[in-house]
């Protein structure tokens, strides 16, 4: 291949939206996986969307995983598309970087549940990494291996209705030790429904030492089997009216729930250490998929623009100047957002998750907000139909709005970014003092009178 040329396969539609600087970093295995994910989503998932909905519409089937999902998961596993998110230190890892996986995740985002067919869905991705990083070998064999194989699912349970859960030090679900067991009491929101029997266990954050003077050492993480006596699912929580069956979001009551002490992860009082380790690349997986979701919504808007059945005042929807500008603005915003996510992924690859904190927060703030705006505009172009089940747009918008809260509200991320930025202010003040010193020397050398702008010029 001559210098400057690119592999023929990079001209595939799977790579159309990938920026040149990212293409230059893609390994041969990444190119193969990206193409396979694209083909799988386009050929197996998108055509099956109505069937997937129909299979849980039957009476008694609402909380049972669709047969088609099982078939597609088997196909994905055989095609080598399972667990693509896994970092390199996993034996089952395909060896993708965060940047390379971002390209795959965007394609998965074109269908809400496509990620699940490839075992790359929340909360499984975060739970798998947590269990692999912090559990002992016995725990890994019992709880991690079924998740990796896709024979069981799990839930992450942290949020509570009675405290401000965005400040996790307030988590109040209590746990105390009694002999060789832990006893748990409290209320939780958002763990996946146990009405779906494939959900085998919770990773639960509890307050185990409320009197500890160090508020960061008061909490623990434990594994709670979903069939443990004392757990009651009060209801399924709808999100903007959607029940998200067959996984859902449960509201739970724990009443004297007993688990063996062997179900403690890492050790008592180490929940925050574990939580920070869990929230690595997984924090932007939602953002990666939202880009793909926006592309799908945008394509629907383009189709609406050329629909000859829709000609208000004798013009196509896409012939109105306001809609031409809408289409342009949406294209610009999606492409801009993609660069933000890819930068976050690349930063983590090069400098590590901790160094990527700002880039991760940037993605968490900007991408869901962009997605809600773009999908809202797409709904607007569809008029009344855009608010109904005639298109997937309302569900897309709901997911984007949900992500503004998931893994921490975007306001918390803004606070983090703003606080970190304010720490740089003193450095800029010193720099501007140096500018002023140099300016005064120039005035003295060249003659004339110095001019001071009070309020913006630091004292020297």
């Amino acid at each position: 291949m001559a210098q400057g040329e690119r592999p023929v396969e990079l001209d595939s539609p799977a790579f159309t939206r990938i920026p040149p600087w990212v293409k230059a970093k893609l390994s041969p295995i990444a190119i193969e996986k990206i193409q396979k994910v694209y083909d799988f989503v386009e050929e197996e998932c998108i055509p099956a969307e109505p069937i997937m909905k129909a299979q849980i519409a039957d009476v008694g089937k609402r909380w049972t995983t669709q047969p088609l999902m099982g078939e597609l998961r088997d196909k994905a596993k055989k095609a080598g598309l399972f667990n693509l998110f896994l970092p390199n230190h996993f034996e089952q890892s395909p060896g993708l970087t965060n940047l390379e996986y971002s390209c795959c995740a965007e394609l998965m985002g074109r269908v809400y549940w496509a990620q699940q067919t490839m075992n790359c869905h929340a909360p499984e991705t975060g739970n798998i990494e947590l269990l692999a990083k912090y559990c002992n070998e016995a725990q890994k064999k019992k709880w991690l291996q079924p998740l990796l194989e896709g024979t069981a699912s799990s839930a992450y349970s942290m949020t509570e209705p009675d405290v401000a859960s965005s400040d996790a030090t307030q988590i109040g679900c209590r746990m105390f030790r009694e002999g060789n067991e832990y006893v748990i009491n409290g209320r939780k929101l958002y763990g996946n429904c146990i009405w779906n029997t494939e959900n085998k266990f919770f990773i639960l954050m509890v307050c185990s030492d409320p009197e500890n003077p160090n508020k960061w050492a008061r909490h623990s993480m434990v594994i709670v089997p979903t069939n443990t006596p004392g757990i009651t699912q009060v209801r399924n929580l709808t999100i903007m009216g959607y029940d998200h069956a067959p996984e859902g979001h449960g509201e739970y009551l724990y009443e004297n729930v007993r688990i063996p002490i062997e179900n403690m992860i890492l050790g008592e009082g180490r929940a925050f250490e574990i939580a920070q380790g869990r929230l690595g690349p997984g924090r932007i997986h939602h953002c990666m998929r939202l880009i793909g979701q926006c592309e799908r919504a945008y394509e629907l808007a383009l189709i609406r623009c050329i629909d000859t059945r829709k000609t208000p005042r004798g013009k196509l929807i896409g012939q109105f100047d306001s809609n031409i500008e809408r289409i342009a603005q949406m294209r610009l915003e999606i492409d801009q957002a993609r660069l933000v996510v890819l930068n976050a992924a690349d930063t983590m690859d090069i400098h590590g998750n901790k160094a990527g904190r700002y880039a991760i927060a940037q993605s968490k703030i900007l991408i869901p907000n962009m997605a809600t705006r773009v999908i809202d505009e797409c709904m607007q172009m569809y008029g009344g139909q855009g608010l109904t089940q005639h298109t997937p747009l309302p569900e897309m918008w709901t997911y984007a709005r949900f992500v503004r809260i998931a893994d921490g509200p975007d306001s918390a991320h803004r606070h983090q970014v703003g606080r970190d930025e304010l720490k740089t202010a003193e450095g800029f003040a010193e720099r501007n003092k140096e500018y002023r010193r140099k300016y005064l020397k120039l005035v003295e050398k060249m003659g004339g009178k110095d001019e001071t702008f009070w309020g913006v010029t630091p004292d020297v």
Side-chain angles (χ1 to χ4, degrees):
M1 187 168 59
Q3 187 175 5
E5 291 184 2
R6 62 184 183 182
V8 174
E9 55 263 35
L10 291 183
D11 289 323
S12 156
F15 302 89
T16 300
R17 299 296 181 188
I18 300 177
W21 67 271
V22 177
K23 289 179 181 177
K25 293 190 173 192
L26 297 178
S27 63
I29 188 65
I31 293 171
E32 175 193 335
K33 296 298 183 185
I34 292 167
Q35 184 63 57
K36 282 188 173 182
V37 170
Y38 175 84
D39 292 340
F40 193 83
V41 172
E42 294 295 310
E43 296 171 13
E44 302 284 355
C45 297
I46 294 178
E49 283 180 307
I51 297 172
M52 199 68 83
K53 282 185 176 295
Q55 287 189 345
I56 57 170
D58 294 338
V59 176
K61 300 292 186 181
R62 192 69 184 164
W63 302 104
T64 302
T65 300
Q66 304 95 321
L68 179 58
M69 176 61 74
E71 294 173 20
L72 291 177
R73 284 170 69 82
D74 288 341
K75 285 185 179 180
K77 186 183 286 189
K78 289 175 183 176
L81 297 178
F82 235 48
N83 300 323
L84 293 177
F85 71 95
L86 284 172
N88 292 338
H89 59 268
F90 281 87
E91 180 184 344
Q92 299 89 343
S93 171
L96 301 182
T97 63
N98 286 311
L99 184 64
E100 291 167 340
Y101 178 66
S102 294
C103 301
C104 294
E106 175 177 333
L107 298 172
M108 293 178 200
R110 291 175 60 78
V111 177
Y112 175 75
W113 45 260
Q115 52 180 312
Q116 192 173 348
T117 66
M118 302 177 220
N119 216 39
C120 292
H121 57 295
E124 238 62 270
T125 52
N127 287 353
I128 286 173
E129 290 201 46
L130 183 156
L131 295 170
K133 189 171 183 178
Y134 297 109
C135 283
N136 59 44
E137 290 307 313
Q139 290 173 328
K140 288 178 184 178
K141 184 177 180 180
K142 185 174 184 179
W143 307 109
L144 172 61
Q145 198 57 39
L147 298 188
L148 288 171
E149 294 171 355
T151 57
S153 65
S154 63
Y156 187 74
S157 190
M158 176 178 167
T159 304
E160 296 182 3
D162 302 318
V163 298
S165 298
S166 58
D167 176 3
T169 63
Q170 296 187 23
I171 294 298
C173 184
R174 294 297 175 87
M175 182 181 78
F176 64 90
R177 181 167 176 170
E178 192 174 88
N180 290 325
E181 294 181 318
Y182 288 115
V183 183
I184 303 168
N185 286 278
R187 292 205 297 162
K188 291 287 184 179
L189 301 179
Y190 277 113
N192 292 26
C193 281
I194 58 175
W195 296 341
N196 187 322
T197 56
E198 290 185 9
N199 182 9
K200 299 301 184 184
F201 64 92
F202 295 106
I203 295 177
L204 183 73
M205 185 171 180
V206 292
C207 183
S208 54
D209 186 8
E211 305 305 321
N212 194 312
N214 178 5
K215 65 180 181 179
W216 304 106
R218 295 172 184 168
H219 296 79
S220 301
M221 291 266 192
V222 292
I223 297 168
V224 183
T226 54
N227 62 356
T228 306
I231 301 176
T232 302
Q233 182 174 328
V234 178
R235 61 177 62 85
N236 178 59
L237 301 170
T238 59
I239 309 297
M240 303 290 189
Y242 292 102
D243 63 9
H244 287 162
E247 291 80 33
H249 303 278
E251 177 181 341
Y252 294 98
L253 182 63
Y254 286 75
E255 296 177 293
N256 296 318
V257 174
R258 292 177 176 270
I259 60 171
I261 59 172
E262 291 80 12
N263 286 19
M264 172 64 67
I265 301 176
L266 195 60
E268 292 185 14
R270 303 184 72 175
F272 282 95
E273 177 183 347
I274 296 169
Q276 287 306 307
R278 181 181 185 271
L279 295 177
R283 295 191 85 160
I284 63 168
H285 288 176
H286 282 299
C287 298
M288 297 169 179
R289 291 190 293 267
L290 277 177
I291 302 297
Q293 182 172 271
C294 286
E295 287 287 359
R296 183 90 185 281
Y298 182 73
E299 291 167 12
L300 292 174
L302 289 174
I303 293 169
R304 185 68 162 191
C305 283
I306 61 171
D307 189 342
T308 55
R309 298 169 300 171
K310 306 291 182 177
T311 54
R313 297 191 294 281
K315 297 169 68 175
L316 295 172
I317 299 293
Q319 290 177 325
F320 288 90
D321 289 344
S322 59
N323 288 332
I324 293 173
E325 292 186 11
R326 268 199 180 103
I327 290 295
Q329 186 63 31
M330 287 191 286
R331 177 75 271 154
L332 295 171
E333 290 194 28
I334 295 170
D335 288 345
Q336 179 184 29
R338 177 183 292 106
L339 292 174
V340 171
V341 178
L342 293 174
N343 173 66
D346 200 34
T347 300
M348 286 187 284
D349 286 334
I350 296 171
H351 300 294
N353 296 351
K354 187 174 182 180
R357 187 173 74 158
Y358 167 69
I360 293 170
Q362 188 182 42
S363 295
K364 286 283 297 164
I365 295 164
L366 295 175
I367 308 311
N369 279 280
M370 176 281 299
T372 53
R373 286 196 307 272
V374 165
I375 298 167
D376 184 77
E377 290 286 16
C378 294
M379 288 193 289
Q380 193 72 14
M381 295 182 75
Y382 268 83
Q385 271 187 310
L387 305 177
T388 73
Q389 71 269 40
H390 281 200
T391 77
L393 294 172
E395 287 182 84
M396 290 178 173
W397 185 91
T398 300
Y399 173 52
R401 183 63 186 83
F402 169 77
V403 176
R404 284 189 60 194
I405 297 291
D407 288 341
D410 55 4
S411 53
H413 293 288
R414 282 193 179 92
H415 180 78
Q416 172 197 309
V417 171
R419 187 179 56 196
D420 289 348
E421 288 298 306
L422 284 170
K423 292 176 183 177
T424 69
E426 288 295 333
F428 289 119
E430 288 302 317
R431 184 188 297 182
N432 276 270
K433 287 180 181 179
E434 187 60 26
Y435 295 155
R436 173 108 179 117
R437 291 187 192 99
K438 291 179 179 179
Y439 164 68
L440 292 174
K441 287 181 180 179
L442 283 172
V443 170
E444 183 179 350
K445 178 180 177 181
M446 301 179 70
K449 184 179 179 182
D450 73 276
E451 190 172 5
T452 296
F453 298 96
W454 300 107
V456 296
T457 306
D459 292 334
V460 176

